[in-house]
Amino acid sequence: MIETPPLVDQYCHGVLRTELGLGTFEAQLIRSAGPPAAGTTFFDTQTGFAVRRWCPPLLGLEPHAAPARYLARRRELGAAESARRLLRGSGVAAYLVDTGASGDVTGPKELALAGDAEAFESVRLELLAEQVADTSGTVSAFLANLAEAVHHAAAGAAAFTCAAAFDGAGAAAFVPDPPGPGEVRGAAGRWLAGRPRGGAVRDPVLLRHLLWSAVSSGLPLQLHTGAADPEPLTEFVRATAGLGARLVLIGGYPHHRHTAQLAAAFPHVYADAGAALGQTGARAAAVLAELLELAPFGKVLFSSGGRQLPELHAVGALVFREALGRVLGGWVAEGSWSWRDADRVAGLVAAGNARRVYRLDGPDGP
């Protein structure tokens, strides 16, 4: 039996405080641009089946309970008590919480209280820029206030995180050098002038400025690739080598092998096992094994990627534990590994790597 310490969930969001009906609940199970196929629901996914396998016992039901029965039990307990049971049943000791999510969701302190765990903030760079813009009347004031905001955030947060650079600007945000002052002023002026028609940061020059500001801060930087190939990051990764920055690549499935290759090639790059395990459910062990084929074991970090539903936090953690046990236990059973080595690597991936990368035990920690 593989021994793992209490987990460090190195990337997640808060959970919804509100009660949810069947349709609203299932819409949170996967990211989709439309409704499910006729005659099915989004419970008919690997994520949905994983929720029905792992979550009902935490609420006092049998595994694989029908969705209607499960949600009836959830309503009976109430949103707060359900979240408390699900989070505490996941075996997570610490959360790194992206506070850039919209909606009525818990912040780090509230999530920590519900889960009986520690919580640390991962500051969303693009949201930080939007908040600064709301209180800055000129381009000069915006840039000065943004620099101060990044500095202030770096003093209290565990990491910076950015999704818009990859989703909104593609490779253009990852040109391997910081933009010059004139470029930044021009980009900031265009964005501020256009904010009434949009608001979100999408200008690649401004995003480059945010990324390089984060690199200079000394905090780890979480870069989201979503379901895209992380290859466009390569030159940016190369340019940041030796600067003291630690880059954690979030997402990447089904291109997780490329993420693992970047983690293997560059000492400052780490691979997130992430939400892909909850999304692949019964196939999670195969996905995790592929990641561990290429990435050094000290470069892989667990996360649930949980958002909105506490079920996704719980499923991410519980599926990860089972998948890790199946993969490492299988290698032990065939004689390739010893139990001692399997337990040590399990401890690294489950918690030790994250505690070291984010310095959760202080600057002199592991």
Side-chain angles (χ1 to χ4, degrees), residues 113-185:
L113 182 62
D116 191 24
E118 295 182 282
F120 305 88
E121 183 177 9
S122 185
V123 175
R124 179 69 70 109
L125 285 169
E126 52 269 43
L127 179 62
L128 189 66
E130 292 162 23
Q131 292 170 338
V132 169
D134 289 337
T135 58
S136 303
T138 66
V139 171
S140 295
F142 167 71
L143 293 176
N145 292 341
L146 181 60
E148 177 60 28
V150 170
H151 177 75
H152 178 75
F160 285 110
T161 188
C162 185
F166 209 94
D167 293 343
F174 295 103
V175 173
D177 52 47
E183 288 182 275
V184 175
R185 286 189 64 86

Side-chain angles (χ1 to χ4, degrees), residues 62-350:
E62 70 284 356
H64 310 294
R69 177 171 167 75
Y70 177 76
L71 291 178
R73 176 59 174 164
R74 201 179 191 275
R75 287 192 297 272
E76 178 185 330
L77 292 171
E81 177 62 15
S82 296
R84 189 187 72 83
R85 294 190 184 197
L86 290 162
L87 294 172
R88 295 189 181 196
S90 66
V92 172
Y95 297 97
L96 270 76
V97 185
D98 179 349
T99 52
S102 59
D104 184 22
V105 297
T106 57
K109 290 182 179 179
E110 194 175 349
L111 188 69
L113 182 62
D116 191 24
E118 295 182 282
F120 305 88
E121 183 177 9
S122 185
V123 175
R124 179 69 70 109
L125 285 169
E126 52 269 43
L127 179 62
L128 189 66
E130 292 162 23
Q131 292 170 338
V132 169
D134 289 337
T135 58
S136 303
T138 66
V139 171
S140 295
F142 167 71
L143 293 176
N145 292 341
L146 181 60
E148 177 60 28
V150 170
H151 177 75
H152 178 75
F160 285 110
T161 188
C162 185
F166 209 94
D167 293 343
F174 295 103
V175 173
D177 52 47
E183 288 182 275
V184 175
R185 286 189 64 86
R190 291 190 300 273
W191 179 61
L192 291 171
R195 283 194 81 226
R197 297 187 296 275
V201 181
R202 290 292 183 269
D203 185 281
V205 174
L206 191 53
L207 288 168
R208 278 171 60 205
H209 177 63
L210 289 169
L211 292 173
W212 282 95
S213 296
V215 166
S216 300
S217 75
L219 285 189
L221 173 59
Q222 299 172 332
L223 295 172
H224 298 252
T225 62
D229 191 329
E231 190 277 333
L233 292 172
T234 303
E235 291 308 311
F236 177 79
V237 165
R238 196 184 311 278
T240 56
L243 299 181
R246 288 151 287 160
L247 306 180
V248 183
L249 306 187
I250 306 286
Y253 180 80
H255 304 284
H256 50 293
R257 288 177 182 267
H258 291 179
T259 301
Q261 287 174 325
L262 286 172
F266 295 95
H268 65 305
V269 176
Y270 298 82
D272 172 51
L277 301 186
Q279 292 166 0
T280 52
R283 290 287 296 164
V287 175
L288 182 60
E290 290 174 344
L291 191 62
L292 293 174
E293 285 175 10
L294 297 170
F297 307 134
K299 308 292 286 297
V300 179
L301 286 71
F302 159 73
S303 80
S304 70
R307 64 189 191 282
Q308 309 280 12
L309 301 179
E311 282 81 359
L312 298 180
H313 296 70
V315 161
L318 296 171
V319 167
F320 164 76
R321 280 187 184 276
E322 186 197 45
L324 190 66
R326 288 170 60 187
V327 172
L328 301 189
W331 293 342
V332 171
E334 68 187 23
S336 298
W337 285 34
S338 70
W339 280 113
R340 178 180 298 175
D341 284 337
D343 286 341
R344 184 174 61 85
V345 170
L348 291 174
V349 179

